[in-house]
Amino acid sequence: MPVPQRSLEVMRAGEALVLAQIDTLDDRDLAAPCRLPGWTRAHVAGHLARNADALVNLLDWARTGAVTPMYPSAEARAGGIEAAAAQAPAALRADVVAASARLVAAAEAMPEAAWAGEV
């Protein structure tokens, strides 16, 4: 399976769009509730960061063959989102940017043969 260059381009553009949207939110906006029951926009941003890290786990699994689930458990997933959402707004923004960069780097570093790996 060839490296999905067009998919990588779309992914990079999507990551940039999300980061730009988060950058438009001031501290008060981040703390505001969102449409998901019990979540603030900070929870959504935290979910994006932890999900990017979880996707890196799947890319690592496909690349190495070493079983690396997205999350160790549902509780770990929820705890990671809560911990991310509880960060100071500047730290949360930096966390989302760093997680996005890790995801893009992991996708770009995938060898061609690894794209066919099953996880």
Side-chain angles (χ1 to χ4, degrees):
M1 169 182 260
V3 176
Q5 289 303 320
R6 178 65 183 137
S7 295
L8 288 173
E9 290 170 17
V10 170
M11 183 189 124
R12 285 185 209 102
E15 289 294 311
L17 178 65
V18 167
L19 295 177
Q21 284 300 118
I22 289 173
D23 197 42
T24 68
L25 302 174
D26 65 23
D27 294 358
R28 205 170 339 159
D29 290 334
L30 269 176
C34 71
R35 292 185 180 180
L36 296 170
W39 273 26
T40 64
R41 291 173 179 160
H43 284 91
V44 174
H47 169 63
L48 292 171
R50 297 298 67 83
N51 192 68
D53 289 338
L55 291 171
V56 169
N57 288 343
L58 293 182
L59 290 170
D60 287 346
W61 183 352
R63 184 178 46 78
T64 67
V67 176
T68 314
M70 289 181 79
Y71 302 95
S73 66
E75 294 79 17
R77 175 187 175 274
I81 293 168
E82 286 297 329
Q87 296 178 95
L92 176 56
R93 286 185 195 90
D95 186 9
V96 176
V97 169
S100 175
R102 287 190 295 272
L103 176 56
V104 170
E108 291 175 342
M110 288 283 286
E112 186 173 325
W115 286 107
E118 290 190 30
V119 298

